[in-house]
Amino acid sequence: MTPAHPAEPPHGIPVSPLLTCHPAKQRLYGADTYYQEGYEQLAALTGDVTGFAHRHAALLLKPDAVVARRLDAAVDWLAEHGFRIVGAAVTRLTRTMIRSLWYFQWNLATPYRRRLAALFLEDADALVLVVRPERDLDVPASVELTRLKGPTDPDARQPGQLRHLLGRHSYLLNLVHTPDEPADVLRELAVHFDDTARDSLLRSALADEDRTAHALELTGRLYAATKPRDLDFEPAVERLADAVARHGCADPAATPRTMLETAWERGIDLDPWDTVIVGSKVLPMRQPGRAPVLDGADAGTWRRHLATVRAPRN
């Protein structure tokens, strides 16, 4: 008789179905270093990891929100929609961090999108807010905040949504990001912060104190460290055309895309923000025919999901 092969050991830690709707995310996050760090550190601070992850969401205010001076508006919007800021910290979106945050979605990104993202995401620091809804929700806070935030597509945003309020500039210049599900909250806090900074942020959230004043203090620091920028398309096209013309490449009939690609081909030094503003409007940002490796789940999906698993106590 051939002896049975021993079972293959697990690649990571268990991920509760209360933290994500997706079995694939359970499998992949369990083996993901960032998720493991976030989960294990939180577990050392509280015996209710699932409850914490359901009650809290995170909002990343990106460098485009900083230079556009829209952080204050986002803080006000959170209060108006019943979210209390219980933690705030500054982060720097490096090339490695960008790929870590969107590791399971950036298989959709075109080379243009990767190139443009590198121009602006590292240009200024960003702000991470940990928030908690003031009322009980029937879905995780991250799911509700993602719904209220609005979609990536600027043409699909609706009045009242955060992205509509902050400015409908382009697919790439969307100013804010939210983790989709409770598991994403734990993972993304670990992407942004080392053990010490994350410990401080988690303890702040667990204390459940209003940290709006601290968020506004950090807002002031971020504004002081950066120049304000206009993210509107037409003025950026004009500035880009002037820059190209100064290098003898003027073509009145050239489209913004042709102008931009010509400048790249000839090695013309362009203003990074103008390049991003124009490029994110006229260049393809998403590879056609591809699906993300992992995605979020809307509120309806979560309600159906929670009906099949044990709901956490809030």
Side-chain angles (χ1 to χ4, degrees):
M1 179 182 293
T2 304
H5 293 289
E8 184 177 344
H11 296 291
I13 63 176
V15 177
S16 169
L18 292 170
L19 298 177
T20 175
C21 286
H22 303 287
K25 187 177 287 189
Q26 287 180 261
R27 184 179 70 256
L28 291 171
Y29 275 26
D32 180 85
T33 301
Y34 292 114
Y35 178 82
Q36 291 178 15
E37 289 182 359
Y39 181 92
E40 290 164 355
Q41 186 172 29
L42 182 58
L45 295 173
T46 176
D48 188 17
V49 172
T50 299
F52 178 95
H54 270 250
R55 290 189 297 267
H56 294 83
L59 178 68
L60 169 64
L61 290 149
K62 294 159 46 182
D64 39 339
V66 175
V67 300
R69 301 299 191 252
R70 302 300 283 156
L71 303 186
D72 317 64
V75 170
D76 291 342
W77 180 93
L78 286 167
E80 291 166 5
H81 286 78
F83 287 92
R84 179 158 43 93
I85 298 171
V86 294
V90 170
T91 186
R92 163 70 54 145
L93 296 178
T94 65
R95 177 182 182 277
T96 301
M97 186 182 291
I98 294 164
R99 283 154 177 77
S100 298
L101 279 172
W102 291 286
Y103 182 77
F104 297 104
Q105 293 83 32
W106 261 43
N107 61 302
L108 305 180
T110 63
Y112 291 119
R113 184 179 180 184
R114 292 193 294 268
R115 180 173 186 166
L116 294 175
L119 291 177
F120 87 98
L121 287 178
E122 294 189 43
D123 187 61
D125 286 339
L127 183 64
V128 173
L129 303 177
V130 178
V131 302
R132 176 171 178 168
E134 297 280 15
R135 61 185 178 85
D136 290 339
L137 302 174
D138 62 352
V139 294
S142 54
V143 176
E144 179 66 1
L145 183 58
T146 296
R147 181 185 74 82
L148 293 170
K149 172 200 65 182
T152 303
D153 181 355
D155 294 330
R157 297 171 198 164
Q158 300 294 322
Q161 294 173 339
L162 179 58
R163 280 178 169 165
H164 187 280
L165 169 71
L166 298 184
R168 292 174 292 161
H169 300 291
S170 68
Y171 190 93
L172 186 59
L173 292 173
N174 53 45
L175 284 78
V176 298
H177 163 75
T178 55
D180 295 317
E181 299 183 288
D184 298 304
V185 174
L186 302 184
R187 181 182 183 275
E188 292 186 21
L189 290 179
V191 173
H192 284 296
F193 304 110
D194 63 17
D195 288 350
T196 301
R198 196 168 59 247
D199 180 78
S200 176
L201 194 60
L202 291 173
R203 288 180 184 275
S204 174
L206 285 165
D208 203 26
E209 297 175 352
D210 192 321
R211 301 289 286 168
T212 302
H214 181 54
L216 292 174
E217 177 189 351
L218 295 178
T219 291
R221 293 183 197 173
L222 289 169
Y223 286 173
T226 59
K227 294 180 180 180
R229 292 296 306 238
D230 171 9
L231 302 182
D232 291 337
F233 178 72
E234 295 298 340
V237 171
E238 293 179 8
R239 291 190 295 266
L240 215 55
D242 289 343
V244 171
R246 287 196 296 271
H247 289 80
C249 301
D251 178 1
T255 65
R257 175 170 180 170
T258 299
M259 181 176 60
L260 189 57
E261 292 181 328
T262 298
W264 280 342
E265 289 169 4
R266 301 192 182 188
I268 297 173
D269 189 24
L270 301 174
D271 178 85
W273 280 103
D274 288 341
T275 303
V276 173
I277 294 164
V278 175
S280 62
K281 275 274 195 179
V282 303
L283 297 170
M285 295 289 100
R286 180 170 178 151
Q287 297 280 11
R290 292 188 189 175
V293 176
L294 294 176
D295 210 347
D298 62 21
T301 301
W302 257 96
R303 290 186 185 100
R304 292 189 295 273
H305 177 70
L306 287 173
T308 67
V309 296
R310 182 178 58 84
R313 273 190 282 175
N314 291 321

